[in-house]
Amino acid sequence: MTGRIPEPTESPRGHEPYGEARWPMATAVVTAMVLTVLLPDDLRLAPRWLLPAVEGLLLLALIAGDPGRIDRRSTALRTLSIALVGVLALSAVWSTVQLVDDILHGGKETASATGLLQSGGTVWACTVLAFSLLYFELDSGGPAARAHRIPRASALAFPQQLNPEVASPDWRPRYIDYLYLGLTNATAFSPTDVMPLAAWAKIAMGIQSLVSLLILGLVVARAVNVLA
């Protein structure tokens, strides 16, 4: 490993930027919307339809403004993307707080083993999706900037960046890479193969690890209590 991340280069003059497909990111958002609808009322930030409706409108606006592949650089689209990620993250954090409160006080949503596993698993999955989209949107200026190969310091160091010999010359992280990061960080409670470089990335990954540890730890402890 070289230990040094090569700086990305601007797209050559006359060469169209090649953005990644929108559908993986859109699928993650739709999945988060469905999971929010499935959450018990006491664990949701707003009425069952409200947050999914807001998230759906923001997603449709993004698709309309930049259909197909993500390669259009626009302040308005960037603002919409960050707003969408913010709503998802706020919803996930709120559900986590309410789940922890329900477990600690023996609430009705976690009184049975089935309800406990369903609620805990749904909230945990929502946090994984929310943080994966957060990393996807904030790393290196976002997917549109990465499509244009804008020179910008990476906030997250992937193995292909640390060791370019194992990757193709035009490799760039895509949503699946950030989803994998969110999943492994939530299960290992620490960085695995992707290293946080920027302060915000270290804080975000640290918060996600603590949130995941809290959810899984309390769910297991409560499950032992319920089944005993």
Side-chain angles (χ1 to χ4, degrees):
M1 296 177 65
T2 63
R4 182 172 177 269
I5 300 177
E7 290 188 2
T9 56
E10 185 75 66
S11 296
R13 187 172 303 222
H15 182 270
E16 287 294 323
Y18 189 74
E20 64 179 289
R22 172 74 70 181
W23 70 263
M25 169 266 186
T27 300
V29 174
V30 172
T31 302
M33 292 163 56
V34 172
L35 291 175
T36 301
V37 171
L38 295 177
L39 278 172
D41 291 340
D42 291 346
L43 302 186
R44 263 188 274 104
L45 175 60
R48 188 179 299 273
W49 58 270
L50 183 57
L51 287 181
V54 171
E55 293 159 2
L57 288 174
L58 290 171
L59 179 60
L60 288 175
L62 286 172
I63 294 173
D66 189 16
R69 295 188 173 275
I70 308 174
D71 55 15
R72 183 183 172 194
R73 296 175 60 209
S74 162
T75 302
L77 290 175
R78 177 83 168 140
T79 301
L80 287 174
S81 297
I82 293 176
L84 175 57
V85 171
V87 173
L88 289 166
L90 178 62
S91 174
V93 170
W94 176 270
S95 295
T96 299
V97 171
Q98 296 304 113
L99 176 68
V100 170
D101 181 73
D102 198 88
I103 290 176
L104 292 178
H105 293 91
K108 62 179 182 178
E109 306 301 347
T110 58
S112 68
T114 302
L116 172 65
L117 293 177
Q118 287 179 344
S119 298
T122 301
V123 171
W124 183 82
C126 285
T127 63
V128 170
L129 291 172
F131 276 95
S132 70
L133 289 164
L134 177 71
Y135 303 138
F136 170 77
E137 188 56 46
L138 297 186
D139 184 34
S140 300
R146 292 193 294 271
H148 286 262
R149 297 182 173 275
I150 304 301
R152 190 177 300 234
S154 296
L156 297 163
F158 289 84
Q160 293 90 333
Q161 294 169 317
L162 293 172
N163 190 3
E165 290 80 6
V166 303
S168 59
D170 60 345
W171 186 89
R172 298 187 304 279
R174 300 181 183 276
Y175 176 68
I176 186 63
D177 298 294
Y178 296 100
L179 178 59
Y180 178 76
L181 166 61
L183 179 62
T184 55
N185 194 53
T187 52
F189 312 125
S190 64
T192 53
D193 62 337
V194 182
M195 294 296 107
L197 303 180
W200 73 260
K202 294 178 181 180
I203 292 171
M205 290 182 69
I207 291 175
Q208 186 193 8
S209 295
L210 290 174
V211 166
S212 182
L213 179 61
L214 186 64
I215 293 174
L216 296 180
L218 287 178
V219 166
V220 170
R222 178 66 170 160
V224 171
N225 232 6
V226 169
L227 296 173

